[in-house]
Amino acid sequence: MQFLPDLLQGAKVTIQVLLLSAVFAFLLAFLFGLGRVSRFWAVRFFTGALVELFRGTSLLVQMFFFFFALPAFGVELSPFAAGVIALSLNYGAYASEIVRGAILAIPAGQTEAGIALNMTRWQRMRLVILPQAFKIMLPGFGNISIELLKGTSLVSLVTLADLTFHGRMLKDNYTGEQVEIFTLLLLLYFVIALPLIFGARWLEKRAAKGVASG
């Protein structure tokens, strides 16, 4: 257990990257997802192009672009910023498809009921469609959260001292202790993932109870 203090230092950075990236990713997911169902074709085209760009290219290459290539355009980002931006855009693009699919899954009768009540388009979306769609999104959001945690390990490749980075440094310095190092590394990632797993299940159960009581 001599390696645990170093790995815990890296775990703090991993958690910071995870939380910040998750906030931005889910905000972008709703922004892109709503854009994909906009009545304006220009908005649909622009958001669709962004989503396909970040879904269709490698997360690692995106991270390298933000960290290594942007300085050529006069924009220098810290390893932390480059990692968070790349993770947010990439997973936000994937999660936006969950948002879009959930919105489209709501029966047309719900929209028609909102129109009958003289609601504006935004009121129908905010008060009728999104509350129902959010329950559909929860399982997908839970999976995206776990995948995002796994994706944070790539920030070590832009020199950010996260959990994986510390594990690699320890492996290089203690070549005979690799089994213990990587076992601890696996366990720490699993421990970080547990609140995400149980939190997602709790939210799904709460949402299911809401549907049943409704």
Side-chain angles (χ1 to χ4, degrees), residues 30-79:
F30 277 96
L31 181 64
F32 291 161
L34 290 172
R36 296 293 298 276
V37 296
S38 171
R39 58 180 171 174
F40 301 108
W41 73 267
V43 175
R44 295 197 304 271
F45 177 82
F46 179 71
T47 53
L50 284 177
V51 166
E52 296 309 324
L53 171 65
F54 288 105
R55 287 205 315 157
T57 54
S58 164
L59 171 59
L60 181 57
V61 174
Q62 293 167 19
M63 211 170 286
F64 283 170
F65 177 83
F66 289 121
F67 186 65
F68 295 113
L70 279 187
F73 301 96
V75 180
E76 293 193 14
L77 298 175
S78 67

Side-chain angles (χ1 to χ4, degrees), residues 113-190:
I115 294 172
L117 292 172
N118 203 29
M119 290 182 174
T120 65
R121 182 179 176 86
W122 170 240
Q123 286 175 326
R124 295 196 302 270
M125 182 62 69
R126 181 170 59 90
L127 300 175
V128 179
I129 306 300
L130 282 179
Q132 298 178 71
F134 185 71
K135 297 170 185 177
I136 301 173
M137 298 174 200
L138 285 176
F141 279 178
N143 289 333
I144 287 288
S145 298
I146 301 298
E147 292 300 319
L148 178 55
L149 171 59
K150 297 175 186 177
T152 62
S153 63
L154 294 178
V155 300
S156 64
L157 299 177
V158 291
T159 71
L160 185 61
D162 73 324
L163 184 52
T164 298
F165 182 91
H166 277 271
R168 289 169 53 207
M169 292 301 100
L170 288 170
K171 182 263 296 181
D172 292 340
N173 293 329
Y174 300 92
T175 55
E177 306 291 341
Q178 294 185 23
V179 172
E180 181 179 349
I181 292 169
F182 285 108
T183 299
L184 283 172
L185 199 61
L186 285 172
L187 289 174
L188 285 172
Y189 271 112
F190 182 64

